[in-house]
Structure formats: structure tokens, C-alpha cells
Amino acid sequence: MSVRELGTMIWVEVTMQMKTDIKYLSSTVSEFILYTFAYLAVVIFGAVKGMNAFYHTNLGVVMILIGFMFWNMGVVAMDESTLFIETGARTGILETEIQSRFSLWFIALVRSWVTDIYYFVYLLILSVITAFVISVPVLQLVKADVLVFVIAIISNVGMLGIGLLFGAGSLRFKRVGNWSSILQSAILFVANVAMPNYFGAQLLLPFGAGIEITRHLFLGQSVSLNLIGTYFGVNVIWFALGLVIFRHAMQKERRIGSFDRF
């Protein structure tokens, strides 16, 4: 795979995403509205005072915003891989898609990064509004947005792995989208998205350590090498687990001949 081929692929994905968003504008707007309500929910019910005490700051709402942005971009990566596989499995075009020059997981990953660019614009707007509401300099929140966008590139890989796990399930059951949505909602309220990192299990999520790294960097605090190592290690494990199980599921589907039903 050459750099030119990769560039062409990314450009095609960007173009397709633009056309899709324009064609299904109402659906795109409704998604942004739902995410905005989710953000308001975590701000209202989130542990703002706990954030202030835990991170020794008075910017607890910004700490929640950083967590929400990671969750938002992680959900995008997870949805891209899950829906990509589920739709192909239900319509019978998955076997054709896997004949592509690029691996299926790589296409889903690139799509998630491309989609993140669009959501980055949405998060910028959300941050500007938040800045005016809580009287924080806009540039401070733009700094948080940039940090999240760069650091979340790693957590997208781990969330892609979780998406591949659901994708493997869709090969057998054809429709797992509801279970995926339930998991995403549960993560929003039990992870360190709207609360500090109270217990170690929160770091087992692909973006758990990434949230903590970004919060510390934003506040000018030191970041331990153990936390950085955990961030990379957890995402590698989730991605490897998802890829192995998905490939096994694909091999099994080929053996039992379910592709022939479509």
C-alpha cells in the first residue's frame, strides 16, 4: 500500500461522508441533538464538585467536557466498525467488501478518523458555547479540543476493537445495534467521563487513560509513564482481541456457508 493509494482512499472516504451527511441531513442533525442532550445530562448529573476536588481546579465542567469528547469520538469509532459489518452481513455484500485491497478493519478505522473530523467541528461549537456559559476563555477550551482530537486517535483503535467484537456477533445474529447502544450509554455514566478516575477498572476502557492524560495536560500537571503505557497497552489488547475474534467469526461463517443465503 503506497502513500498515494492511502491518500486516495482517505479522499474517497471524506467525499462519501460529505455526500452522506448532505443526503441524510435530518439524520445527521438529529444525531448532534442527541449528543448535545447527552452532554447536558452528564454535566447536570456529573460530579462537578468531585472533579474540582480530585484535580485541584475550579474547571470541573471542562473536565467533564473532555471526558464527553473522548466518549463521543470513541462511540463514532465503535459504530463505524459495528454498522459497517452488520449492514454488510444483513445485505449480503460483506463477502464482496472483504475482497478490497484494504483490510476491512483498516477501512473502518479510516472511516472513524474521517468522521471524527466532522464531529471535531461539532465539539468545537459545543466548547465555545460552554466557554461563554461558564465564563472560561474560548482559547482554553479550543486547547482542550485539540488535545482530545490528537490523543483520541489511539483510543479509536481500541474502540474499533470493541466494534469488531459486536461485528463478529452480527455475523451470527445479523442485528446487534441495540446492544451496542446500551453499552455506549452505560459507559457514559459509569466510566470516568462524568466523574474522576475513582477506581482502576475505568482505565480498562480504551479511552479511560486517554481522558486522564488529557485532563492532566490541560491543567499543566505531570503525566506518569505508567498511565501512558496503560493507555497504549489497553488499546492494543482491545484491538487485538476484536480482530482475532472477528477473523475467527468470518472463517466460521465461510465454513458453514451462510454467505450463500444472500
Side-chain angles (χ1 to χ4, degrees), residues 212-227:
E212 297 306 311
I213 291 172
T214 305
R215 285 171 176 167
H216 287 300
L217 289 176
F218 176 79
L219 295 172
Q221 300 172 355
S222 61
V223 180
S224 70
L225 291 177
N226 286 339
L227 188 61

Side-chain angles (χ1 to χ4, degrees), residues 14-33:
V14 169
T15 304
M16 288 177 59
Q17 186 65 44
M18 289 179 62
K19 291 180 178 178
T20 301
D21 288 341
I22 293 173
K23 187 174 182 179
Y24 300 99
L25 183 60
S26 60
S27 176
T28 302
V29 172
S30 65
E31 284 185 7
F32 287 141
I33 292 174

Side-chain angles (χ1 to χ4, degrees), residues 176-208:
V176 296
N178 291 336
W179 291 104
S180 175
S181 298
I182 291 172
L183 176 63
Q184 293 166 7
S185 300
I187 289 175
L188 180 61
F189 292 100
V190 303
N192 55 332
V193 173
M195 66 178 74
N197 179 36
Y198 285 133
F199 45 92
Q202 291 169 316
L203 299 182
L204 297 179
L205 292 168
F207 51 71

Side-chain angles (χ1 to χ4, degrees), residues 108-126:
L109 181 61
V110 171
R111 284 186 178 182
S112 73
W113 284 338
V114 168
T115 307
D116 275 348
I117 296 174
Y118 292 91
Y119 280 88
F120 178 67
V121 176
Y122 157 72
L123 293 172
L124 274 175
I125 296 172
L126 192 63

